[in-house]
Amino acid sequence: MNKFKSFLVNLCRTLLAITFIFSGFVKSIDPLGTQYKIGDYLEALNLAGKVPEWIQLITSIGLSAIEFTLGVLILLAIQRRLVSKLTVFFMVCMTAVTLWLTIGNPIQDCGCFGDAIRLSNSMTFGKNVVLLTASIVVMKWPLYQVRFISKTNQWIATYFTIVFIVVASVLSLYHLPIFDFRPYFIGQNIKKGMEIPKDAKPTVYKNTFICVKDGVQKEFDEKNFPYDDSTWVFIDSKQEIVEQGYEPPIHDFSITNEETGEDLTEAILTKKNYTFLLISPFFEVAEDGNFGEIDYIYEYAKEHGYDFYGLSASTDYGVKHWRDVTGAEYPIYTTDGTTLKTVIRSNPGLLLLYQGTIINKWSHNDLPTAEELNAPLNLLSIGHEPEDSTWSKIFAIVLCYILPLILLIVADRIWAWTQWVKKREQWLKEKEQWLVKKEQSNKLYQLLKRKRQMRKKIVAGNWKMNETLQEGIALATEINDALKADKPNCDVVICTPFIHLASVANVLDKELVGLGAENCADKEKGAYTGEVSAAMVKSTGAEYVILGHSERRQYYGETAEILKEKVQLALANGLKVIFCCGESLEEREANKQNEVVKAELEGSVFNLSAEEWKNIILAYEPIWAIGTGKTATSDQAEEMLAYIRSIVADKFGKEIAAETSILYGGSCNAKNADELFSKPNIDGGLIGGASLKAADFKAIIDAWKK
Ligand code: 13P
């Protein structure tokens, strides 16, 4: 279907392009002819004389140039959407005009193709209906038009076309139309052009005679005309064409001497010698700047025995005005104005006849000069019919317009191709770079994955100050049993109050669940009533201790210095430290979280050796998320844990940072654990409330299995 659409659109577009280019061109090279046609339309609209001639001329040049340019734009598929809409608009207007011509017949020839092709009004209308349909097809699918020139360079073709056609128009106006499609071309014998072949079909006319008798008017034809009844008085007659017969190319040429009423056509057209005819449809509006040259040619004609006549449809006043202004002495005879406009597109223009054949034609801007007229005409080249120059004119157009346009298109295609090659090279380069990057990031990802696999994944419970001894033993037993039944794939730790430690140690399978304290003293041993030392913790069977919890910092005034001591003692006694850090709500709101966390780590654990660091687990617990039900989002948590890992890397190196387990704590529960644990820097959780129910705690542990 798409192939068919493309075929149809390109067929319609070719038809439109050829028609527009041809009709635009033939009108452009005959701007005066097109102006006369515009005059005919104005007359049919009763606007004759209301629009100045110069406006008609500019309209003629403009309209023809638009039509030609539109044709070229369609041909090259430039501005496809806009041009297709303009074409439809143009065709709608033209079809409406030709419909009016077909119905009302106000003008015989629409002038669509200038004088090159003449169509009857109904044929023109039919042609426009076809073209309108074609333009609608193109407008419906404008992008199916195959481009010949890239978007970047199409403006060159557009402006070049406009300049070409306007220059061709102006040159045709200044000189004469480049191609002469009228019956008065060079080489035409006017008399022969008027001949009707013997076997030609004659035009059949119907004559009607109007007579009156006793005040009664009646129409008669040849058959019933009252030849014998003289009481009928003839008053008028009319003639209608019943059937159009052969019409010779020249059918309206005659020369009359107005003063004598004598028809001089035959006499002038059969002259044995050269005859100059100065043609001016109307002397009133003729260009009179070249009268010197005209007078010289007249004198030259007299001297060599050639006839020189003026032909015009001017009024006596117009002729007198011309004689007064130019001093013209040559005889001026009368010929129909429209005929004279057809004979030569120049006012005035000069025609040279030899025995009734047109030998040469000149615009008033190109009249032969005294230097050229230096001998009798038969000895001069201008006295002989020039060689047919049609091919040299076509060659000139090819050289000035078609060839540069083709070269432009070829250059554009080469340019587009090099652009494509460049883009492709660039694309291949980018693809290669992308593959390298992908490879690198793959490697990095694998490395991080390996490291992450090396890091311990931990879920640790912090019972805080909850559970009696019996309750604690029962909870620990339940957790232990659940994990025995369904083995975890991460490290599990429960941190209990001091009083539970020894008893809970007895119920836990060490391989499955690690045990930890929630605190230890900052003194080694001695008279510190109520305190429990790291050594004592270790002696219960516990392996971990939570230090730096925000609740201890907040409620028991544990400073960075105290914590530093505790950490040292815990490590010295073989305990692993789960070291907590985290900012308050005000600190986060002030965007100080990084600086607070860094200070906490620097104050208590960054003094450790790399060896000691191996027994440190970090836990980021934003104070605003602890026990509030307000979890940090997984992105917030990930961002902070990545930051913590980066400062650990700065302190201990990337390798150690990659091996450090960092947990998140703060309203972590069975629902959000999956999401939190999916982040690359979150190695597990430090769980408060949710660690007090075996099922909830187990569900968080199981999040690592997903
Ligand atoms: P919650 O999980 O109850 O918010 O407590 C977190 C905590 O403080 C763990 O140490």
Side-chain angles (χ1 to χ4, degrees):
M1 187 58 191
N2 278 356
K3 269 195 180 163
F4 174 71
K5 259 191 221 164
S6 166
F7 169 77
L8 186 69
V9 167
N10 284 293
L11 182 75
C12 291
R13 162 245 193 142
T14 310
L15 180 72
L16 286 164
I18 291 173
T19 316
F20 275 51
I21 290 173
F22 179 72
S23 63
F25 182 74
V26 293
K27 280 185 289 206
S28 287
I29 58 157
D30 185 9
L32 273 182
T34 311
Q35 179 197 328
Y36 297 151
K37 191 47 74 183
I38 292 172
D40 290 349
Y41 277 97
L42 291 173
E43 203 174 311
L45 292 166
N46 289 328
L47 291 171
K50 295 202 175 118
V51 180
E53 291 209 349
W54 65 269
I55 291 189
Q56 293 179 34
L57 182 61
I58 287 178
T59 312
S60 144
I61 295 175
L63 270 182
S64 313
I66 288 173
E67 197 176 357
F68 179 80
T69 308
L70 214 52
V72 174
L73 297 188
I74 301 170
L75 185 73
L76 301 182
I78 292 174
Q79 291 281 346
R80 293 174 291 186
R81 282 202 192 89
L82 175 70
V83 167
S84 65
K85 282 182 195 140
L86 285 177
T87 311
V88 170
F89 173 73
F90 198 85
M91 283 321 304
V92 167
C93 297
M94 290 304 146
T95 311
V97 169
T98 47
L99 178 65
W100 168 56
L101 294 189
T102 310
I103 297 169
N105 208 22
I107 294 171
Q108 298 302 315
D109 168 38
C110 66
C112 291
F113 297 114
D115 288 304
I117 301 174
R118 283 172 179 260
L119 296 176
S120 69
N121 286 339
S122 52
M123 275 166 84
T124 295
F125 176 65
K127 172 209 75 169
N128 281 351
V129 169
V130 173
L131 292 180
L132 176 62
T133 314
S135 67
I136 291 171
V137 170
V138 176
M139 189 181 74
K140 179 114 182 62
W141 301 293
L143 300 185
Y144 277 88
Q145 296 174 81
V146 178
R147 274 182 191 289
F148 286 115
I149 191 162
S150 64
K151 267 186 171 181
T152 322
N153 296 325
Q154 61 190 22
W155 64 271
I156 306 176
T158 309
Y159 289 126
F160 179 52
T161 300
I162 295 172
V163 168
F164 163 74
I165 200 65
V166 171
V167 167
S169 217
V170 171
L171 286 180
S172 297
L173 184 67
Y174 187 81
H175 303 289
L176 287 176
I178 303 170
F179 296 103
D180 196 348
F181 297 112
R182 281 155 289 118
Y184 299 91
F185 50 86
I186 291 175
Q188 171 76 289
N189 184 288
I190 299 178
K191 236 169 128 336
K192 278 217 179 88
M194 294 197 287
E195 275 170 13
I196 299 175
K198 282 201 183 82
D199 52 352
K201 206 170 78 179
T203 301
V204 181
Y205 296 97
K206 182 183 171 215
N207 292 314
T208 308
F209 307 97
I210 306 159
C211 298
V212 67
K213 178 170 141 185
D214 302 333
V216 180
Q217 197 168 305
K218 199 175 166 189
E219 289 188 355
F220 299 95
D221 58 21
E222 280 107 342
K223 284 182 195 142
N224 65 0
F225 190 79
Y227 296 104
D228 306 330
D229 186 352
S230 58
T231 54
W232 282 103
V233 182
F234 169 81
I235 54 165
D236 201 2
S237 70
K238 51 185 183 185
Q239 193 176 52
E240 288 163 64
I241 294 176
V242 179
E243 197 186 340
Q244 182 68 52
Y246 171 81
E247 192 173 68
I250 299 175
H251 50 269
D252 48 7
F253 187 86
S254 69
I255 302 170
T256 316
N257 183 340
E258 272 305 304
E259 281 167 24
T260 61
E262 195 185 349
D263 185 344
L264 300 170
T265 319
E266 179 75 16
I268 291 177
L269 295 181
T270 51
K271 285 239 185 287
K272 290 277 171 261
N273 209 342
Y274 290 102
T275 307
F276 283 102
L277 296 178
L278 181 77
I279 311 282
S280 171
F282 300 101
F283 278 124
E284 292 86 335
V285 287
E287 173 58 47
D288 54 20
N290 309 83
F291 71 89
E293 276 109 317
I294 296 170
D295 280 350
Y296 180 82
I297 297 165
Y298 174 54
E299 292 304 326
Y300 165 84
K302 272 202 306 190
E303 193 182 314
H304 290 84
Y306 311 136
D307 287 325
F308 188 111
Y309 307 114
L311 299 187
S312 176
S314 296
T315 55
D316 289 347
Y317 168 79
V319 173
K320 187 175 174 309
H321 172 75
W322 179 257
R323 288 197 190 283
D324 289 349
V325 171
T326 66
E329 289 173 1
Y330 38 83
I332 296 176
Y333 299 133
T334 301
T335 297
D336 176 64
T338 309
T339 303
L340 292 179
K341 282 178 180 174
T342 315
V343 173
I344 190 163
R345 299 296 200 211
S346 175
N347 187 14
L350 188 67
L351 215 65
L352 178 63
L353 298 187
Y354 183 72
Q355 298 181 354
T357 298
I358 300 171
I359 300 292
N360 237 319
K361 273 175 149 184
W362 295 276
S363 146
H364 60 79
N365 292 312
D366 303 316
L367 293 170
T369 58
E371 288 85 63
E372 285 173 280
L373 297 171
N374 54 11
L377 280 171
N378 57 335
L379 300 179
L380 297 177
S381 64
I382 57 169
H384 298 274
E385 204 180 302
E387 302 251 308
D388 183 13
S389 57
T390 309
W391 284 111
S392 59
K393 285 173 189 169
I394 292 175
F395 182 68
I397 290 169
V398 168
L399 210 66
C400 296
Y401 178 64
I402 301 175
L403 193 66
L405 197 64
I406 291 174
L407 288 178
L408 172 69
I409 292 170
V410 171
D412 173 78
R413 291 298 84 194
I414 295 172
W415 175 82
W417 181 73
T418 52
Q419 290 297 103
W420 179 81
V421 170
K422 257 191 214 162
K423 260 195 190 155
R424 205 181 124 79
E425 272 169 11
Q426 175 77 8
W427 178 78
L428 285 173
K429 220 181 189 174
E430 274 169 15
K431 197 178 161 196
E432 207 171 292
Q433 283 170 355
W434 179 78
L435 283 173
V436 170
K437 265 193 190 156
K438 201 177 158 203
E439 177 80 356
Q440 282 171 352
S441 73
N442 239 348
K443 274 187 190 157
L444 194 70
Y445 176 75
Q446 293 301 337
L447 186 76
L448 287 174
K449 209 170 143 193
R450 255 202 329 271
K451 293 279 179 200
R452 189 164 186 206
Q453 276 161 359
M454 279 162 65
R455 283 203 297 270
K456 286 210 166 111
K457 293 173 280 179
I458 302 167
V459 175
N462 175 7
W463 288 4
K464 304 194 180 179
M465 198 173 77
N466 293 300
E467 314 297 320
T468 62
L469 179 61
Q470 291 70 28
E471 287 166 349
I473 293 169
L475 177 58
T477 310
E478 205 181 339
I479 291 169
N480 193 68
D481 291 349
L483 294 177
K484 206 185 246 175
D486 179 18
K487 297 251 172 2
N489 65 348
C490 63
D491 285 5
V492 178
V493 179
I494 51 176
C495 299
T496 72
F498 293 128
I499 61 124
H500 295 71
L501 287 173
S503 314
V504 168
N506 281 332
V507 300
L508 293 181
D509 177 348
K510 263 188 155 187
E511 296 298 311
L512 288 176
V513 191
L515 180 62
E518 296 171 14
N519 187 18
C520 71
D522 60 338
K523 301 287 185 286
E524 205 174 342
K525 64 188 270 185
Y528 299 102
T529 306
E531 283 298 298
V532 176
S533 72
M536 291 170 176
V537 170
K538 181 73 182 173
S539 69
T540 62
E543 294 166 278
Y544 297 84
V545 62
I546 298 174
L547 291 174
H549 196 284
S550 59
E551 286 153 12
R552 298 239 27 112
R553 295 178 194 256
Q554 201 177 345
Y555 306 133
Y556 302 98
E558 291 190 0
T559 61
E561 224 16 71
I562 294 171
L563 290 169
K564 196 173 173 182
E565 288 302 316
K566 290 190 176 189
V567 170
Q568 289 288 356
L569 287 166
L571 292 176
N573 285 283
L575 291 171
K576 291 191 176 84
V577 175
I578 300 174
F579 187 82
C580 303
C581 56
E583 79 286 357
S584 65
L585 186 60
E586 301 82 71
E587 286 160 345
R588 175 155 282 262
E589 279 170 355
N591 199 27
K592 286 188 172 159
Q593 62 274 23
N594 288 8
E595 139 190 1
V596 170
V597 166
K598 192 176 182 199
E600 288 176 342
L601 296 176
E602 279 176 339
S604 307
V605 287
F606 274 4
N607 57 309
L608 299 175
S609 67
E611 195 51 36
E612 289 169 323
W613 187 262
K614 284 184 184 158
N615 289 315
I616 297 286
I617 295 158
L618 295 178
Y620 166 65
E621 296 199 316
I623 301 170
W624 47 272
I626 297 175
T628 57
K630 229 195 226 178
T631 336
T633 64
S634 57
D635 286 336
Q636 279 174 322
E638 167 63 14
E639 193 184 342
M640 177 54 91
L641 267 60
Y643 170 70
I644 294 174
R645 201 175 299 286
S646 76
I647 57 176
V648 173
D650 291 345
K651 177 73 195 155
F652 297 102
K654 281 188 183 143
E655 282 283 310
I656 291 182
E659 284 163 16
T660 304
S661 295
I662 310 177
L663 315 182
Y664 167 77
S667 298
C668 178
N669 55 39
K671 282 193 191 131
N672 56 28
D674 287 5
E675 165 76 13
L676 286 163
F677 295 176
S678 70
K679 296 289 173 186
N681 280 294
I682 301 180
D683 302 318
L686 181 55
I687 321 296
S691 70
L692 298 174
K693 283 204 177 111
D696 290 354
F697 192 52
K698 170 82 170 35
I700 296 171
I701 293 164
D702 286 347
W704 278 118
K705 292 186 178 167
K706 290 178 185 161

